[in-house]
Amino acid sequence: MRHSSLYLWSLAGMASALMLMNATAGDFLVDVRSVDPTIIVELRYAERNNLLGQPLYPHGTRALARREVALGLARAQAFLRRYQYGLKIWDAFRPVTVQAKLWEASHNSDYVADPETGAGSLHSWGIAVDATLVDSWNNPVRMPSDFDDFTPAGMWRYMGPSPEVCAHVRLLQNAMLRAGFWGSRTEWWHYTIAHWQKYVPAEKAKSAGKTLATHWAGRL
C-alpha cells in the first residue's frame, strides 16, 4: 500500500509539472543536461538522503528548469571549468505537491516557503535551483554544509575557519552571480534567476518580491 501511495503521489507531481508547462504559452521546462550535459545532477529529493528521509520524486526524475535558467547554468558551468570545477544540481523544478510535504515537515518560513502563500517556492515555477561544486573529476568538494542544513552553516556568508571551504563557496557564488542568478541569505546552495518576476503572475510576484528584495534573500 505504501508503494502504491508513493506511485500515485509521483503521478500527481508529474501532472503538476505538465500543468505548469501548459500554463505559460510557448514557454516550457527543459532538461538542464540537454543544454549542458557536463553538469552533474544528483536530485536529493529523488533519494532518501534529504530532509524527509524518503524519496519525494519518481526514480529517474530529471533536473528541469526554464530554458533561461538552464542557459544560465551552462554559463556558470563554463566559468567554473576555467578553474577546474563544475556544477552539481541538487534540485531544480519542484512540484507543488512535494513543496507541500516539505512545508508539513518543517513549518519554518525562514527556510521553506508555504505553497499556499504568495508565489510559494520559486522552485515550483522552474526558476530556482539548488547547486554545489564538484572538482574536475566530478567528485564533491568541501562546502560549508550539506544540502538543506538549516543551521548557521547554511548561511550565504560563510564565516568558518577553513580557507578551502571559503574559496569553494565564493567561487560558486561568483559563477552563479556572473551567470545571472541571485543567491539566498539563508542557503548558500539556493539560486534564483534574476528576472524571475516575468515567470510569475503579477500579484504573486508582488508578494514574493517582499522576501526577494535583495540579492541575498529568498527561501527553499
Side-chain angles (χ1 to χ4, degrees):
M1 181 64 71
R2 180 183 177 187
H3 291 295
S4 176
S5 297
L6 183 58
Y7 177 69
L8 291 174
W9 183 14
S10 299
L11 288 179
M14 288 186 283
S16 295
L18 291 173
M19 289 175 63
L20 175 59
M21 288 187 281
N22 292 332
T24 52
D27 199 357
F28 295 89
L29 300 176
V30 301
D31 183 346
V32 167
R33 298 193 76 243
S34 72
V35 176
D36 188 336
T38 69
I39 295 174
I40 303 302
V41 171
E42 181 190 326
L43 296 183
R44 294 290 287 270
Y45 297 135
E47 56 185 64
R48 294 185 179 277
N49 187 17
N50 60 56
L51 180 64
L52 270 66
Q54 62 182 21
L56 304 179
Y57 296 160
H59 178 71
T61 295
R62 297 169 294 165
L64 304 178
R66 302 281 183 172
R67 184 166 183 80
E68 181 183 2
V69 173
L71 291 171
L73 293 175
R75 290 194 297 272
Q77 180 78 339
F79 176 84
L80 289 169
R81 286 304 187 198
R82 290 157 48 187
Y83 299 92
Q84 305 300 309
Y85 289 91
L87 285 174
K88 177 188 283 188
I89 303 302
W90 274 334
D91 199 25
F93 168 73
R94 182 187 305 154
V96 175
T97 51
V98 173
Q99 184 65 26
K101 290 293 182 180
L102 294 173
W103 174 248
E104 290 173 7
S106 66
H107 275 280
N108 185 340
S109 60
D110 289 336
Y111 297 100
V112 180
D114 182 350
E116 300 297 326
T117 302
S121 172
L122 296 185
H123 279 283
S124 299
W125 297 93
I127 51 181
V129 297
D130 295 326
T132 187
L133 287 184
V134 293
D135 63 19
S136 59
W137 296 93
N138 294 331
N139 296 313
V141 302
R142 291 184 63 199
M143 298 299 279
S145 70
D146 195 7
F147 180 53
D148 281 0
D149 185 323
F150 302 151
T151 70
M155 300 293 285
W156 171 274
R157 299 188 185 281
Y158 173 71
M159 303 296 289
S162 170
E164 179 186 18
V165 172
C166 183
H168 289 160
V169 73
R170 294 294 181 265
L171 179 61
L172 175 62
Q173 291 168 348
N174 194 19
M176 296 298 281
L177 291 174
R178 284 172 175 266
F181 292 89
W182 286 5
S184 167
R185 179 181 58 81
T186 56
E187 300 170 350
W188 61 259
W189 56 85
H190 177 88
Y191 293 90
T192 302
I193 197 70
H195 304 296
W196 59 271
Q197 295 95 332
K198 67 183 181 181
Y199 295 115
V200 179
E203 283 305 308
K204 292 183 179 294
K206 183 178 180 180
S207 174
K210 295 177 181 178
T211 60
L212 292 171
T214 73
H215 284 56
W216 327 120
R219 291 172 291 180
L220 170 67

